[in-house]
Amino acid sequence: MTGRGPQDGQARDSLPIFDRLAPPPPADVVAARIDVHTGPGDIVADLFGRGGWIARSAIDRQRRAVSLESNPMTRMLAEVVLRPPDVRHLDAAFQGMAASPLRESSLKTSIGDLFATRCATCGRALVVDEIGWQVDDDASIAGRMRPIERHYRCAVCRDQLGGSDHRQAALDRDDLRRATADVGADAMRSVLLARFPIPDGAEALPRELLDLHTDRQLVALGAILERIESDLRAAPVMATLRLALLYAILPASRLGSGPGRHAALRVTSGHVRPHTATRVSERNPWLAFEDGFRLVRGFVQGLDSGPYGPIQARLGEDLRSLGEGAATTFIGLAGDEGSAAMQDGPGGYGRTTPTPKIRLALGQSPMRPNLDRLAVAYHATSWLLGAEAASRLPIHALAGPSFRRSWRAEAEIIGDALGRVGPVMARDGRAIQLVDGGSEAVIATVLGGAQAGFRLLGVHTSDHVETKTSVVELLPPGGRLPPGARTRANVSLEALPGGAGDAFIAGSSGLFTPAERFDARPFSASDAARAVTDAAVEMLCARGEPAPHERLLGQILIGLDRAGQLHRLAATMMPADATGSAGDPGPDPVESLVVLIRDELGRPTQERLTEIEPGRWWLLDREDLARTAAPLADRVEWAAFSLLSTAGPMSEATFLERMGAMFNGPDLPEDGLIRACLASYRSQRAGSDQVTTDDDLLERSQEHTELLAAIADGGHRLGMRVWLGSREQTRRFGRGTLGDLLLNGEQRPFLGSIAPAIEDLAEVDGIWYVRAKVAFMFEVEWTAMLGEPLLRRHARIPPNDALIRFLVIAPERTDLVRYKLAQSPLLRAAIESGNWHIMRSDRLRAFLAREPLDLDDLEPYLGLDPEPEDHAEQIRMFEEGPA
Ligand SMILES: [Zn+2]
């Protein structure tokens, strides 16, 4: 045999099937949250584990971990992920299985006998890799297929005749006899059938699933499974071998299409959906098992060589055991069983150590179920773990044509799990759920939290295209809202017992009424709608610029939480297990809230908010607009420059982390902004692992003065009158000041002839004008902070046809200005209505250096795009390069 041996696999970092059933969380997000919210020794709990990944990250960071796994399959995966077996032990177990006695020979040889053949060329005795079957009618109906060809490997023929060892031939009489021989499949079938719990209304399904295999495939797979289960092995080794079998079952079935490959298993209305191939391959199950072993072995190797290095969790029997000694991890199943192990009750058997508290509940929301995923889980769980494990799945749904879970049920599942963990959480702990999906998924998580008495601290919804994960941060019952939380008037809440910061008191509804408990009043849609607008307006005022819908939603939910509305809405939900029997449960609260928020924001009579462009919201009311903060984009830019210029060289990761810590809540910037600021200000001379800036305030100030002087000179050469900003006039220039450059008649001009806003005009950096005819205004900026000049000062200078404005920016800011313009409808509108032209300072200098100076030559110097000369230069360089 010269095919790849079972030990030749490559390291890999994920497993097929689990990719779809339970995709792991983004590792960097998990690691960052563990670092921020816990210290070494603290306990991190994952309430909806998808294979122990979060626990693994926690243990890698010297924390202890609880992983309550979503289902028996992920629990089995967690055994491997948290305690990867030594590959030498795995190999020994595999070899031992192959050689284990079965009937008169060994397991591997017995299976080989079922698939025995002779080389069509040299007559040597061999084992077939697979038999090709022709499908006459329907592959799902046994008996309508004919074996037509065999594939095998003959090393003798390869050596003598050359070419590959892979051979294909028609079936001889012995092959045909073996293909349909009675191999005792009926007995094996009834043994295997007992592993499948029978779903109501889908009674035929277990048998149909077993009928996917030919008799000898079924007998062989069953024999491998018996061998895995009958030997005494360490749990991680056992789990690894079961997983290896998982990857053999479908390839060694009528859905098989080659080594390790198979068509998707589909179940609908209680039956296996027919597979419409005209040819299927009957793979030798032992080879399929070798393929599966190779794949899982590579996964185990990948765990050890991954970024975390080797990890060995030490398992305890419950939460309490994590406080008693060497145990670092508890693995359980979500639901009653797992929560029983978390309870803080009186310990039996003289256990006196107090149950340790959970500092951080961190996890992904439960996977949204669908029929395909359920079918795959039912099939795999029954085969690998048997009827008891598989009956924990919602198998009744297999009888139906589709399977969906309401958002209400989603919220209730989350609320139930959080409700169980709440009592054993540290008071200063956190619950953080990573949510995949849109507004409904976020709201379901938030409402689930409210149902369990958790308070909402933050919703960070990524606007990054690839990572659509939202992070919902919750405070456990009894915890204090941390300093930094703000009232709707944007005033910090103090954490006084029973005071405004007490997590269980909602703000009172009137000026003279005392604060009340949340549940004192029923949910009111009109109160909630008012809270939506209030929260959105406060958010936009604090942000100072339009916000994308997902950012707005996060702050609206926090506003609803602060106003007590989330808690009241959650109180209308029923306990998770009461649904179905309790009559009409009323409208889905998650969907209701989605609709309530959407309707309130877009209400025709809405006078305070507007969707300024699709998916982006801004203020309408004059009073609200008057009290907005400086635009977030400008504050982020200034913070980036300040950090770069004062903190000394640092890594890019440190920079991003420190910036992230400065801006959150309503000020959570869009993902690209911080990077755009960094790109604009970072020094090109520093190494790629160190960020710093070359920008220097003093140099920039001198540059500003010199450019204004050149502008003054240019205006005079053009025969126009010149004005320089009143504050700029006092700057030192040459032996005097900038103001000295103004001619006699220019020092006390009548600016009212240009426009009515005289005070604002006086602050414009530079103006060229011809009285009562035309004026050119220049604002010279070395930053890309356009809010002050464009949206404030010049907004007060009304536009007219004789007013032309130039925004002169440093060339290093070009891309950042471009980014801000793309993101801000306000800036774009201001540029448009104010008759602005953007110009790079180096181009303005080049224009002003022309002799003679003529305004007709200005056009090519305007804009943010590369100048034509640059193009010519680049093209020349390109042509001279290697062909
Ligand atoms: Zn041969």
Side-chain angles (χ1 to χ4, degrees):
M1 297 281 265
T2 52
R4 289 195 304 165
Q7 279 114 56
D8 298 342
Q10 290 184 337
R12 50 186 302 139
D13 57 9
S14 69
L15 283 176
I17 298 184
F18 288 96
D19 292 351
R20 281 178 52 226
L21 286 183
D28 51 343
V29 176
V30 169
R33 290 292 166 168
I34 292 173
D35 285 344
V36 168
H37 295 290
T38 66
D42 283 346
I43 297 181
V44 178
D46 183 356
L47 307 181
F48 305 101
R50 294 189 187 178
W53 295 106
I54 285 171
R56 184 177 166 87
S57 179
I59 291 163
D60 176 58
R61 302 181 135 62
Q62 285 78 49
R63 276 66 165 170
R64 292 169 292 169
V66 172
S67 198
L68 298 184
E69 287 294 330
S70 303
N71 60 53
M73 287 283 285
T74 69
R75 190 190 190 293
M76 181 176 67
L77 178 62
E79 287 280 359
V80 178
V81 165
L82 288 167
R83 298 189 297 162
D86 187 312
V87 285
R88 286 165 305 183
H89 295 169
L90 276 186
D91 292 345
F94 183 83
Q95 302 299 351
M97 273 185 65
S100 62
L102 186 67
R103 293 183 210 104
E104 295 84 42
S105 58
S106 68
L107 176 65
K108 182 179 174 182
T109 311
S110 305
I111 295 175
D113 289 347
L114 298 173
F115 290 85
T117 191
R118 282 186 182 280
C119 177
T121 313
C122 69
R124 186 162 169 262
L126 296 161
V127 176
V128 289
D129 288 2
E130 59 188 70
I131 302 283
W133 292 65
Q134 175 72 44
V135 183
D136 294 332
D137 190 350
D138 182 342
S140 64
I141 302 171
R144 300 250 174 107
M145 310 199 310
R146 291 177 293 122
I148 51 164
E149 67 195 15
R150 57 196 163 124
H151 298 258
Y152 58 90
R153 289 162 198 279
C154 182
V156 177
C157 288
R158 181 200 59 202
D159 292 345
Q160 289 176 0
L161 306 174
S164 147
D165 62 344
H166 179 255
R167 306 278 143 174
Q168 178 185 336
L171 277 71
D172 63 25
R173 229 178 40 198
D174 284 346
D175 292 325
L176 285 170
R177 186 178 51 74
R178 279 199 192 87
T180 53
D182 178 358
V183 290
D186 288 346
M188 182 59 85
R189 192 170 284 114
S190 38
V191 169
L192 291 172
L193 268 178
R195 302 180 73 91
F196 288 75
I198 299 171
D200 285 342
E203 286 77 9
L205 187 57
R207 187 167 286 274
E208 287 178 18
L209 287 169
L210 292 182
D211 282 347
L212 286 171
H213 309 276
T214 62
D215 282 358
R216 52 184 173 172
Q217 280 179 324
L218 200 64
V219 166
L221 290 170
I224 294 171
L225 179 59
E226 267 173 12
R227 181 49 58 190
I228 292 173
E229 295 191 332
S230 62
D231 290 347
L232 212 57
R233 294 191 171 89
V237 173
M238 179 91 125
T240 309
L241 292 175
R242 283 191 208 272
L243 285 171
L245 179 61
L246 170 64
Y247 296 106
I249 293 170
L250 285 177
S253 78
R254 287 178 216 277
L255 299 180
S257 54
R261 295 194 304 274
H262 60 86
L265 170 67
R266 291 268 157 74
V267 169
T268 178
S269 301
H271 294 282
V272 174
R273 204 189 292 173
H275 173 51
T276 55
T278 53
R279 187 190 170 284
V280 299
S281 78
E282 183 196 21
R283 182 124 178 104
N284 175 336
W286 182 262
L287 295 183
F289 182 54
E290 279 190 359
D291 292 337
F293 181 77
R294 189 181 302 120
L295 184 143
V296 180
R297 186 184 187 278
F299 173 71
V300 170
Q301 278 181 304
L303 287 172
D304 273 355
S305 61
Y308 301 147
I311 281 175
Q312 282 294 323
R314 292 184 300 274
L315 296 193
E317 65 213 58
D318 53 19
L319 176 61
R320 178 179 294 248
S321 67
L322 299 188
E324 288 177 334
T328 58
T329 311
F330 168 68
I331 309 178
L333 269 179
D336 295 337
E337 201 177 300
S339 7
M342 309 269 278
Q343 270 165 19
D344 192 15
Y349 312 109
R351 295 170 76 177
T352 51
T353 323
T355 305
K357 295 289 186 188
I358 290 166
R359 176 81 50 191
L360 174 64
L362 172 63
Q364 293 163 284
S365 293
M367 281 293 287
R368 294 281 292 162
N370 65 35
L371 198 52
D372 283 343
R373 280 203 279 265
L374 177 63
V376 168
Y378 169 69
H379 180 241
T381 310
S382 300
W383 260 103
L384 301 185
L385 297 167
E388 196 200 327
S391 61
R392 292 167 183 270
L393 300 168
I395 58 173
H396 62 277
L398 289 165
S402 68
F403 181 32
R404 291 187 57 215
R405 193 154 68 203
S406 70
W407 289 110
R408 167 202 296 273
E410 201 79 12
E412 284 166 348
I413 288 168
I414 293 164
D416 181 57
L418 287 172
R420 292 167 191 249
V421 78
V424 286
M425 286 199 69
R427 286 195 53 173
D428 56 348
R430 287 286 183 280
I432 292 175
Q433 285 297 117
L434 310 178
V435 183
D436 298 316
S439 308
E440 283 89 353
V442 170
I443 290 177
T445 303
V446 165
L447 269 186
Q451 186 192 27
F454 283 61
R455 298 297 304 273
L456 180 60
L457 291 175
V459 180
H460 299 194
T461 298
S462 171
D463 41 44
H464 200 264
V465 193
E466 286 150 36
T467 54
K468 265 289 179 199
T469 300
S470 300
V471 180
V472 174
E473 187 175 345
L474 302 161
L475 181 74
R480 296 268 175 82
L481 287 174
R486 282 161 183 272
T487 65
R488 283 183 287 160
N490 212 25
V491 174
S492 288
L493 286 167
E494 285 181 39
L496 296 171
D502 187 316
F504 280 85
I505 304 290
S508 69
S509 53
L511 199 54
F512 301 107
T513 50
E516 27 191 336
R517 304 298 294 184
F518 275 154
D519 40 7
R521 279 182 288 160
F523 176 75
S524 148
S526 58
D527 285 356
R530 204 161 32 243
V532 166
T533 291
D534 286 348
V537 167
E538 290 313 319
M539 188 268 194
L540 293 170
C541 284
R543 192 177 173 93
E545 65 182 30
H549 185 266
E550 53 265 35
R551 289 278 189 276
L552 200 60
L553 177 65
Q555 291 305 116
I556 286 172
L557 291 172
I558 289 173
L560 287 170
D561 179 76
R562 297 292 178 274
Q565 297 295 347
L566 282 186
H567 192 86
R568 293 190 190 113
L569 182 56
T572 68
M573 297 197 293
M574 295 173 203
D577 39 21
T579 49
S581 56
D584 179 18
D588 188 312
V590 175
E591 289 176 13
S592 303
L593 191 51
V594 170
V595 169
L596 186 147
I597 292 171
R598 193 187 57 209
D599 287 357
E600 170 62 14
L601 291 177
R603 157 169 66 86
T605 52
Q606 175 62 265
E607 288 174 342
R608 301 178 74 189
L609 297 161
T610 178
E611 192 170 15
I612 189 167
E613 63 182 32
R616 202 174 282 268
W617 291 83
W618 186 230
L619 301 164
L620 266 184
D621 184 80
R622 197 174 289 272
E623 281 180 35
D624 292 332
L625 283 165
R627 61 190 175 94
T628 54
L632 175 64
D634 289 356
R635 286 180 284 132
V636 167
E637 179 184 344
W638 189 249
F641 165 67
S642 305
L643 185 58
L644 288 172
S645 59
T646 58
M650 66 190 116
S651 74
E652 188 170 320
T654 306
F655 170 82
L656 295 174
E657 192 183 307
R658 292 184 60 176
M659 286 297 291
M662 273 187 267
F663 294 95
N664 47 49
D667 278 351
L668 190 65
E670 284 163 78
D671 294 334
L673 177 64
I674 293 177
R675 289 187 182 279
C677 291
L678 177 62
S680 184
Y681 282 89
R682 78 185 294 173
S683 165
Q684 297 307 315
R685 292 174 298 159
S688 61
D689 52 335
Q690 294 284 295
V691 299
T692 177
T693 185
D694 294 334
D695 271 298
D696 177 86
L697 276 178
L698 193 62
E699 281 175 25
R700 288 295 190 181
S701 173
Q702 283 165 356
E703 200 180 283
H704 191 257
T705 302
E706 281 155 21
L707 195 51
L708 289 193
I711 288 171
D713 175 60
H716 288 145
R717 285 161 58 211
L718 286 165
M720 299 170 94
R721 290 180 159 262
V722 173
W723 170 253
L724 292 172
S726 37
R727 268 179 303 186
E728 307 299 331
Q729 289 186 29
T730 62
R731 288 182 185 269
R732 297 207 58 76
F733 180 71
R735 294 189 178 170
T737 64
L738 267 184
D740 297 344
L741 298 178
L742 298 184
L743 304 177
N744 275 337
E746 293 172 341
Q747 280 157 356
R748 296 186 187 283
F750 177 60
L751 293 173
S753 75
I754 299 173
I758 297 174
E759 281 176 24
D760 294 305
L761 277 174
E763 294 306 322
V764 174
D765 278 341
I767 306 179
W768 299 341
Y769 62 101
V770 177
R771 262 195 190 185
K773 279 185 108 174
V774 68
F776 299 88
M777 301 195 279
F778 293 86
E779 294 289 359
V780 179
E781 302 293 329
W782 69 274
T783 71
M785 293 162 60
L786 307 180
E788 176 56 30
L790 264 63
L791 301 179
R792 290 192 186 268
R793 192 184 311 142
H794 282 266
R796 295 188 292 257
I797 303 174
N800 74 54
D801 289 346
L803 258 187
I804 297 153
R805 311 184 212 217
F806 295 97
L807 176 66
V808 183
I809 59 159
E812 297 85 351
R813 290 316 151 244
T814 308
D815 285 341
L816 185 54
V817 167
R818 213 193 299 271
Y819 177 89
K820 288 190 176 185
L821 287 177
Q823 298 293 315
S824 172
L826 295 184
L827 286 177
R828 292 199 302 277
I831 295 265
E832 180 74 21
S833 66
N835 200 8
W836 281 97
H837 300 272
I838 305 182
M839 197 173 186
R840 287 171 25 175
S841 55
D842 53 340
R843 308 259 186 91
L844 176 60
R845 275 194 209 93
F847 171 72
L848 292 173
R850 289 176 71 101
E851 189 65 54
L853 196 56
D854 186 341
L855 276 175
D856 288 343
D857 299 330
L858 182 60
E859 183 70 33
Y861 293 87
L862 301 175
L864 287 169
D865 296 323
E867 34 198 333
E869 291 87 336
D870 288 357
H871 274 309
E873 189 67 29
Q874 282 162 9
I875 289 163
R876 247 195 331 276
M877 284 172 63
F878 186 71
E879 283 169 349
E880 284 164 13

